[in-house]
Amino acid sequence: MNGRPVDPDVDLHVPRQRSELREAPWGVLAAIAAGGALGALARYGLGSAFPHRPGEFPWSVFWVNVSGCLLIGVLMVLITETWRAHRLVRPFLGVGVLGGFTTFSTYVVDVQQMVDHGAPLVGLAYLGGTLAAALAAVYAGVRTTRLLARPRREAAARIRCAERSEAGGE
């Protein structure tokens, strides 16, 4: 090693600054890493099962990104509006699994390859189509989950109201 600290903002010779490393969110980082590995493996498996040639529309990447966006919409409603989720659910599933599963960097590389292989219109359709479909998928996931979760939230609200009135009547 060159004798310089890994993080230039942390001087490991200063005890107070060393404590920054102990306080790092190691559990959250581990959850993200584990989820990311699972999501990336799932994406890799789908990409291997449904390959495409340069210049062709990459349907597997398209559907990975669209389905991942749909699931992100569902997940965010469930863990922010419906359930009391463990603090590691969002980092594991949202950032890790779904972040590793979706691949907008590959999407951009695919567009460039389509242009390079003489299919600029296919690339343009893929560029705009993926963006529109991904945004629509998030919206659909949020709206559908809220619609399906509404009866549960209303029932929970009625139970809380009844508990409050019982507690107030005693």
Side-chain angles (χ1 to χ4, degrees):
M1 199 151 138
N2 61 10
R4 293 175 38 198
V6 176
D7 182 346
D9 296 333
V10 177
D11 183 350
L12 297 178
H13 297 96
V14 178
R16 191 166 167 208
Q17 290 186 10
R18 277 196 311 258
S19 69
E20 183 178 321
L21 297 176
R22 284 191 299 276
E23 296 166 8
W26 298 114
V28 171
L29 294 175
I32 292 169
L38 293 174
L41 285 171
R43 174 176 30 93
Y44 176 79
L46 288 170
S48 296
F50 304 102
H52 68 280
R53 288 189 208 88
E56 290 182 345
F57 196 93
W59 287 105
S60 62
V61 177
F62 175 82
W63 287 114
V64 158
N65 286 333
V66 172
S67 63
C69 286
L70 176 80
L71 293 172
I72 286 170
V74 170
L75 176 67
M76 289 302 109
V77 170
L78 291 178
I79 66 173
T80 61
E81 298 176 19
T82 306
W83 300 335
R84 288 189 180 162
H86 185 276
R87 70 180 189 87
L88 295 178
V89 168
R90 186 175 185 168
F92 176 74
L93 291 176
V95 178
V97 173
L98 295 174
F101 182 65
T102 56
T103 176
F104 286 90
S105 58
T106 300
Y107 152 74
V108 172
V109 170
D110 287 340
V111 170
Q112 182 62 49
Q113 287 179 346
M114 287 179 219
V115 171
D116 291 346
H117 286 86
L121 294 179
V122 175
L124 186 60
Y126 179 53
L127 185 69
T130 298
L131 179 61
L135 291 172
V138 171
Y139 181 77
V142 168
R143 295 289 295 178
T144 302
T145 306
R146 282 181 177 157
L147 183 67
L148 294 173
R150 182 180 301 155
R152 181 175 183 210
R153 285 194 317 262
E154 289 171 353
R158 282 193 301 273
I159 291 169
R160 282 192 303 274
C161 183
E163 288 172 348
R164 274 189 237 125
S165 65
E166 286 177 11
E170 292 179 21

